[in-house]
Coordinates of all heavy atoms in Angstrom, one line a residue:
M26 N 56.2 145.8 93.3 CA 56.3 144.7 94.3 C 57.0 143.5 93.7 O 56.7 143.1 92.6 CB 54.8 144.3 94.7 CG 54.8 143.2 95.7 SD 53.3 143.1 96.7 CE 52.3 142.1 95.7
A27 N 57.9 143.0 94.4 CA 58.7 141.8 93.9 C 57.9 140.6 93.9 O 57.0 140.4 94.7 CB 59.9 141.7 94.8
G28 N 58.2 139.7 93.0 CA 57.5 138.4 92.9 C 57.9 137.5 94.1 O 58.8 137.8 94.8
V29 N 57.1 136.4 94.2 CA 57.4 135.5 95.3 C 58.6 134.7 94.9 O 58.7 134.0 93.8 CB 56.2 134.5 95.4 CG1 56.5 133.5 96.5 CG2 54.9 135.3 95.7
T30 N 59.6 134.7 95.8 CA 60.9 134.0 95.5 C 60.9 132.6 96.1 O 60.1 132.4 97.1 CB 62.1 134.8 96.0 OG1 61.9 135.0 97.4 CG2 62.2 136.2 95.3
S31 N 61.7 131.8 95.6 CA 61.8 130.4 96.1 C 62.3 130.4 97.6 O 63.2 131.2 98.0 CB 62.9 129.7 95.3 OG 63.2 128.4 95.9
P32 N 61.7 129.5 98.4 CA 62.1 129.4 99.8 C 63.4 128.6 100.0 O 63.8 128.3 101.1 CB 60.9 128.8 100.5 CG 60.3 127.9 99.4 CD 60.5 128.7 98.1
C33 N 64.0 128.1 98.9 CA 65.2 127.3 99.0 C 66.3 127.9 99.8 O 66.6 129.1 99.7 CB 65.7 127.0 97.6 SG 67.1 125.9 97.6
V34 N 66.8 127.1 100.8 CA 67.9 127.6 101.6 C 69.2 126.8 101.3 O 70.1 126.9 102.1 CB 67.5 127.5 103.1 CG1 66.4 128.4 103.4 CG2 67.2 126.0 103.5
G35 N 69.2 126.0 100.3 CA 70.4 125.3 99.9 C 70.6 124.0 100.7 O 71.7 123.5 100.6
V36 N 69.6 123.6 101.4 CA 69.7 122.3 102.1 C 68.7 121.4 101.4 O 67.6 121.2 101.9 CB 69.4 122.5 103.6 CG1 69.5 121.1 104.4 CG2 70.3 123.5 104.3
C37 N 69.1 120.7 100.4 CA 68.2 120.0 99.5 C 68.3 118.5 99.8 O 69.2 117.8 99.3 CB 68.5 120.2 98.1 SG 68.5 122.0 97.7
A38 N 67.4 118.0 100.7 CA 67.3 116.6 101.0 C 65.8 116.3 101.3 O 65.2 116.9 102.2 CB 68.2 116.3 102.2
L39 N 65.3 115.3 100.6 CA 63.9 114.9 100.8 C 63.8 113.9 101.9 O 64.6 112.9 101.9 CB 63.3 114.4 99.5 CG 63.2 115.4 98.4 CD1 62.6 114.8 97.2 CD2 62.4 116.6 98.8
D40 N 62.9 114.0 102.8 CA 62.7 113.0 103.9 C 61.8 111.9 103.4 O 61.5 111.8 102.2 CB 62.2 113.7 105.2 CG 60.8 114.2 105.1 OD1 60.1 113.9 104.1 OD2 60.4 115.0 106.0
E41 N 61.4 111.0 104.3 CA 60.6 109.9 104.0 C 59.2 110.2 103.4 O 58.6 109.5 102.7 CB 60.4 108.9 105.2 CG 61.7 108.4 105.8 CD 62.4 109.4 106.7 OE1 61.7 110.3 107.3 OE2 63.6 109.4 106.8
Q42 N 58.7 111.4 103.8 CA 57.4 111.9 103.3 C 57.6 112.8 102.0 O 56.6 113.4 101.6 CB 56.7 112.7 104.4 CG 56.2 111.9 105.5 CD 57.3 111.5 106.5 OE1 58.2 112.3 106.9 NE2 57.3 110.3 106.9
D43 N 58.8 112.8 101.4 CA 59.0 113.5 100.2 C 59.0 115.1 100.4 O 58.6 115.8 99.6 CB 58.0 113.2 99.1 CG 58.5 113.7 97.7 OD1 59.7 113.6 97.4 OD2 57.6 114.1 96.9
I44 N 59.4 115.5 101.6 CA 59.4 116.9 102.0 C 60.9 117.3 102.2 O 61.6 116.6 102.9 CB 58.6 117.1 103.3 CG1 57.2 116.7 103.2 CG2 58.7 118.6 103.8 CD1 56.4 117.5 102.1
C45 N 61.3 118.4 101.6 CA 62.6 118.9 101.7 C 62.9 119.3 103.2 O 62.1 120.1 103.7 CB 62.9 120.1 100.8 SG 64.5 120.8 100.9
T46 N 63.9 118.9 103.8 CA 64.3 119.2 105.1 C 64.7 120.7 105.2 O 64.8 121.2 106.3 CB 65.3 118.3 105.7 OG1 66.5 118.4 104.9 CG2 64.8 116.9 105.8
G47 N 65.1 121.3 104.1 CA 65.5 122.7 104.1 C 64.4 123.7 104.0 O 64.2 124.5 104.9
C48 N 63.6 123.5 102.9 CA 62.6 124.5 102.7 C 61.1 124.1 103.0 O 60.2 124.9 102.9 CB 62.6 125.0 101.2 SG 62.2 123.7 100.0
Q49 N 61.0 122.8 103.3 CA 59.7 122.2 103.6 C 58.7 122.1 102.4 O 57.5 121.9 102.6 CB 59.0 123.0 104.8 CG 59.8 123.0 106.1 CD 59.9 121.6 106.6 OE1 58.9 120.9 106.8 NE2 61.1 121.1 106.8
R50 N 59.2 122.2 101.2 CA 58.4 121.9 100.0 C 58.4 120.5 99.7 O 59.4 119.8 100.0 CB 58.9 122.7 98.8 CG 58.6 124.2 98.9 CD 59.1 124.9 97.7 NE 60.6 124.8 97.6 CZ 61.3 125.2 96.5 NH1 60.6 125.7 95.4 NH2 62.6 125.1 96.5
S51 N 57.4 120.0 99.1 CA 57.4 118.6 98.6 C 58.2 118.5 97.3 O 58.5 119.5 96.7 CB 55.9 118.1 98.3 OG 55.4 118.8 97.2
G52 N 58.6 117.3 96.9 CA 59.3 117.1 95.7 C 58.5 117.7 94.5 O 59.1 118.3 93.6
M53 N 57.2 117.5 94.5 CA 56.4 118.0 93.4 C 56.4 119.5 93.4 O 56.5 120.2 92.4 CB 55.0 117.4 93.5 CG 54.1 117.9 92.4 SD 54.5 117.3 90.8 CE 54.1 115.6 90.9
E54 N 56.2 120.1 94.6 CA 56.2 121.6 94.7 C 57.5 122.2 94.2 O 57.6 123.2 93.5 CB 55.9 122.0 96.1 CG 54.5 121.7 96.6 CD 54.3 121.8 98.1 OE1 55.3 121.8 98.9 OE2 53.1 121.9 98.5
I55 N 58.6 121.5 94.5 CA 60.0 122.0 94.1 C 60.0 121.9 92.5 O 60.4 122.9 91.9 CB 61.1 121.1 94.7 CG1 61.1 121.4 96.2 CG2 62.4 121.4 94.0 CD1 62.0 120.4 97.0
S56 N 59.6 120.8 92.0 CA 59.8 120.6 90.5 C 58.8 121.5 89.8 O 59.1 121.9 88.6 CB 59.5 119.1 90.2 OG 58.2 118.7 90.4
Q57 N 57.7 121.9 90.3 CA 56.7 122.7 89.7 C 56.9 124.2 89.9 O 56.2 125.0 89.3 CB 55.3 122.3 90.1 CG 54.9 120.9 89.7 CD 54.8 120.8 88.2 OE1 54.2 121.6 87.5 NE2 55.3 119.7 87.7
W58 N 57.8 124.6 90.8 CA 57.9 126.0 91.3 C 58.0 127.0 90.1 O 57.3 128.0 90.1 CB 59.1 126.1 92.2 CG 59.2 127.5 92.8 CD1 60.0 128.5 92.4 CD2 58.5 128.0 93.9 NE1 59.8 129.6 93.2 CE2 58.9 129.4 94.1 CE3 57.5 127.5 94.8 CZ2 58.4 130.2 95.1 CZ3 57.0 128.3 95.8 CH2 57.4 129.6 96.0
T59 N 58.9 126.7 89.2 CA 59.1 127.7 88.1 C 57.9 127.9 87.2 O 57.8 128.9 86.5 CB 60.3 127.3 87.3 OG1 60.1 126.1 86.7 CG2 61.6 127.4 88.1
R60 N 57.0 126.9 87.2 CA 55.8 127.0 86.4 C 54.6 127.5 87.1 O 53.5 127.7 86.5 CB 55.5 125.6 85.8 CG 56.5 125.2 84.8 CD 56.2 123.9 84.1 NE 56.4 122.7 85.0 CZ 57.6 122.1 85.2 NH1 58.6 122.5 84.5 NH2 57.7 121.1 86.0
M61 N 54.7 127.8 88.4 CA 53.6 128.3 89.2 C 53.4 129.8 89.1 O 54.4 130.5 88.9 CB 53.8 128.0 90.7 CG 53.8 126.6 91.1 SD 54.1 126.4 92.8 CE 54.1 124.6 93.0
N62 N 52.2 130.2 89.2 CA 51.9 131.7 89.3 C 52.1 132.2 90.7 O 52.3 131.4 91.6 CB 50.5 132.0 88.7 CG 49.4 131.4 89.5 OD1 49.4 131.3 90.7 ND2 48.4 131.0 88.8
E63 N 52.0 133.5 90.9 CA 52.2 134.0 92.2 C 51.3 133.5 93.3 O 51.7 133.2 94.4 CB 52.1 135.6 92.2 CG 53.1 136.2 91.3 CD 54.5 136.1 91.8 OE1 54.8 136.6 92.9 OE2 55.3 135.5 91.0
T64 N 50.0 133.3 92.9 CA 49.0 132.8 93.9 C 49.4 131.3 94.3 O 49.4 131.0 95.5 CB 47.6 132.8 93.3 OG1 47.3 134.1 93.0 CG2 46.6 132.2 94.2
Q65 N 49.8 130.5 93.4 CA 50.2 129.2 93.7 C 51.4 129.1 94.5 O 51.5 128.3 95.5 CB 50.4 128.4 92.4 CG 49.2 128.1 91.6 CD 49.5 127.7 90.2 OE1 50.4 128.1 89.5 NE2 48.7 126.7 89.7
R66 N 52.4 130.0 94.3 CA 53.6 130.1 95.1 C 53.2 130.5 96.5 O 53.8 129.9 97.5 CB 54.6 131.0 94.5 CG 55.2 130.5 93.2 CD 56.2 131.5 92.6 NE 56.8 130.9 91.4 CZ 57.7 131.5 90.7 NH1 58.2 132.7 91.2 NH2 58.2 131.0 89.7
R67 N 52.4 131.4 96.7 CA 52.0 131.8 98.0 C 51.3 130.7 98.8 O 51.4 130.5 100.0 CB 51.1 133.0 98.0 CG 51.8 134.3 97.6 CD 50.9 135.5 97.7 NE 51.6 136.6 97.0 CZ 52.6 137.3 97.4 NH1 53.1 137.1 98.6 NH2 53.1 138.3 96.7
E68 N 50.5 129.9 98.1 CA 49.8 128.7 98.7 C 50.9 127.7 99.1 O 50.8 127.1 100.2 CB 48.9 128.1 97.7 CG 47.6 128.9 97.4 CD 46.8 128.4 96.2 OE1 47.2 127.4 95.6 OE2 45.7 129.0 96.0
V69 N 51.9 127.5 98.3 CA 53.0 126.6 98.7 C 53.7 127.1 99.9 O 54.0 126.3 100.9 CB 54.0 126.4 97.5 CG1 55.3 125.7 98.0 CG2 53.3 125.6 96.4
L70 N 54.0 128.4 100.0 CA 54.7 129.0 101.1 C 53.8 128.8 102.4 O 54.4 128.5 103.5 CB 55.0 130.5 100.9 CG 56.0 130.7 99.8 CD1 56.2 132.3 99.7 CD2 57.3 130.1 100.1
G71 N 52.5 128.9 102.3 CA 51.6 128.7 103.4 C 51.7 127.2 103.9 O 51.8 127.0 105.1
R72 N 51.8 126.3 103.0 CA 51.9 124.9 103.3 C 53.3 124.6 104.0 O 53.4 123.9 104.9 CB 51.7 124.0 102.1 CG 50.3 123.9 101.7 CD 50.0 122.8 100.7 NE 50.7 123.0 99.4 CZ 50.2 123.6 98.4 NH1 49.0 124.2 98.4 NH2 50.9 123.7 97.2
C73 N 54.3 125.3 103.4 CA 55.7 125.2 104.0 C 55.7 125.6 105.5 O 56.3 125.0 106.4 CB 56.7 126.0 103.2 SG 57.0 125.3 101.6
Q74 N 55.0 126.8 105.7 CA 54.9 127.3 107.1 C 54.2 126.3 108.0 O 54.7 126.1 109.1 CB 54.2 128.7 107.1 CG 54.0 129.2 108.5 CD 53.3 130.6 108.4 OE1 53.2 131.2 107.4 NE2 52.8 131.0 109.6
T75 N 53.1 125.8 107.5 CA 52.4 124.8 108.3 C 53.2 123.6 108.6 O 53.2 123.1 109.8 CB 51.1 124.4 107.6 OG1 50.3 125.5 107.3 CG2 50.3 123.3 108.3
R76 N 53.9 123.1 107.7 CA 54.8 121.9 107.9 C 55.9 122.2 108.9 O 56.2 121.5 109.8 CB 55.4 121.5 106.6 CG 54.4 120.9 105.6 CD 55.1 120.6 104.2 NE 54.1 120.2 103.3 CZ 54.1 120.6 102.0 NH1 55.0 121.4 101.5 NH2 53.1 120.2 101.2
A77 N 56.5 123.4 108.7 CA 57.6 123.8 109.6 C 57.1 124.0 111.0 O 57.7 123.5 112.0 CB 58.3 125.1 109.1
R78 N 55.9 124.6 111.2 CA 55.4 124.8 112.5 C 55.1 123.4 113.2 O 55.3 123.2 114.4 CB 54.1 125.6 112.5 CG 54.3 127.1 112.3 CD 53.0 127.8 112.3 NE 53.1 129.2 111.9 CZ 53.5 130.2 112.8 NH1 53.7 129.9 114.0 NH2 53.6 131.4 112.3
A79 N 54.5 122.5 112.4 CA 54.2 121.1 112.9 C 55.4 120.4 113.4 O 55.3 119.6 114.3 CB 53.5 120.3 111.8
Q80 N 56.6 120.7 112.8 CA 57.8 120.1 113.2 C 58.6 120.9 114.2 O 59.7 120.5 114.6 CB 58.7 119.7 112.0 CG 58.0 118.7 111.1 CD 58.9 118.3 110.0 OE1 60.2 118.4 110.1 NE2 58.4 117.8 108.9
G81 N 58.1 122.0 114.6 CA 58.8 122.9 115.6 C 60.0 123.6 114.9 O 60.9 124.0 115.6
L82 N 59.9 123.8 113.6 CA 61.0 124.4 112.9 C 60.8 125.9 112.6 O 61.7 126.5 112.0 CB 61.3 123.6 111.6 CG 61.7 122.2 111.8 CD1 61.8 121.5 110.4 CD2 63.0 122.0 112.6
W83 N 59.6 126.4 112.8 CA 59.3 127.8 112.4 C 59.7 128.8 113.5 O 59.4 128.6 114.6 CB 57.8 127.9 112.1 CG 57.5 129.2 111.5 CD1 57.0 130.3 112.2 CD2 57.5 129.6 110.1 NE1 56.8 131.3 111.3 CE2 57.1 130.9 110.0 CE3 57.9 128.9 109.0 CZ2 57.1 131.6 108.8 CZ3 57.9 129.6 107.8 CH2 57.5 130.9 107.7
F84 N 60.4 129.8 113.0 CA 60.8 130.8 113.9 C 60.2 132.1 113.4 O 60.4 132.5 112.2 CB 62.4 131.0 114.0 CG 63.0 129.8 114.5 CD1 63.6 128.8 113.6 CD2 63.1 129.5 115.8 CE1 64.2 127.7 114.0 CE2 63.7 128.3 116.3 CZ 64.3 127.4 115.4
S85 N 59.4 132.8 114.2 CA 58.7 134.0 113.8 C 59.7 135.1 113.3 O 60.8 135.2 113.8 CB 57.9 134.6 115.0 OG 56.9 133.7 115.3
S86 N 59.3 135.8 112.3 CA 60.1 136.8 111.7 C 59.2 137.8 111.0 O 58.0 137.6 110.9 CB 61.2 136.3 110.8 OG 60.6 135.8 109.6
H87 N 59.8 138.8 110.3 CA 59.0 139.7 109.5 C 58.4 139.0 108.3 O 57.4 139.4 107.7 CB 59.9 140.8 109.0 CG 60.9 140.4 108.1 ND1 62.1 139.8 108.5 CD2 61.0 140.5 106.7 CE1 62.8 139.6 107.4 NE2 62.2 140.0 106.4
Q88 N 58.9 137.8 108.0 CA 58.3 137.0 106.9 C 57.0 136.4 107.2 O 56.3 136.0 106.3 CB 59.3 135.9 106.5 CG 60.6 136.5 105.9 CD 61.6 135.4 105.6 OE1 61.4 134.2 106.0 NE2 62.6 135.7 104.9
D89 N 56.6 136.4 108.5 CA 55.3 135.9 108.8 C 54.1 136.7 108.3 O 53.1 136.2 108.0 CB 55.1 135.9 110.4 CG 55.7 134.7 111.0 OD1 56.2 133.8 110.4 OD2 55.7 134.7 112.3
K90 N 54.4 138.0 108.1 CA 53.4 138.9 107.6 C 52.7 138.4 106.3 O 53.4 138.2 105.4 CB 54.0 140.3 107.4 CG 53.0 141.4 107.6 CD 53.8 142.7 107.5 CE 53.1 143.7 108.5 NZ 53.8 144.9 108.5
G91 N 51.4 138.3 106.4 CA 50.7 137.9 105.2 C 50.6 136.5 104.9 O 49.9 136.1 104.0
L92 N 51.3 135.6 105.6 CA 51.2 134.2 105.4 C 50.3 133.5 106.4 O 50.0 132.3 106.2 CB 52.6 133.6 105.4 CG 53.6 133.9 104.3 CD1 54.9 133.3 104.5 CD2 53.0 133.5 103.0
Q93 N 49.9 134.1 107.4 CA 49.1 133.5 108.4 C 47.7 133.2 107.9 O 47.1 134.0 107.2 CB 49.0 134.3 109.7 CG 50.4 134.6 110.2 CD 50.6 134.3 111.7 OE1 49.6 134.1 112.3 NE2 51.8 134.4 112.2
T94 N 47.2 132.0 108.2 CA 45.8 131.7 107.8 C 44.9 131.5 109.0 O 45.4 131.2 110.0 CB 45.8 130.5 106.9 OG1 46.4 129.4 107.6 CG2 46.5 130.8 105.6

């Protein structure tokens, strides 16, 4: 099974709340990503999904599997 990969989409711009408009990670989550374990990365992806849904930016796909809480 492959490890959890970065959700970066190459649109790197932090908004007023310090959230990347591309991947929905916070500045801290971005800077800590390489030092996180798989569980921590999955938790970040869950928060990214929540943030994207709250802004109407989430589009359902096969990637939804396993991230729903």
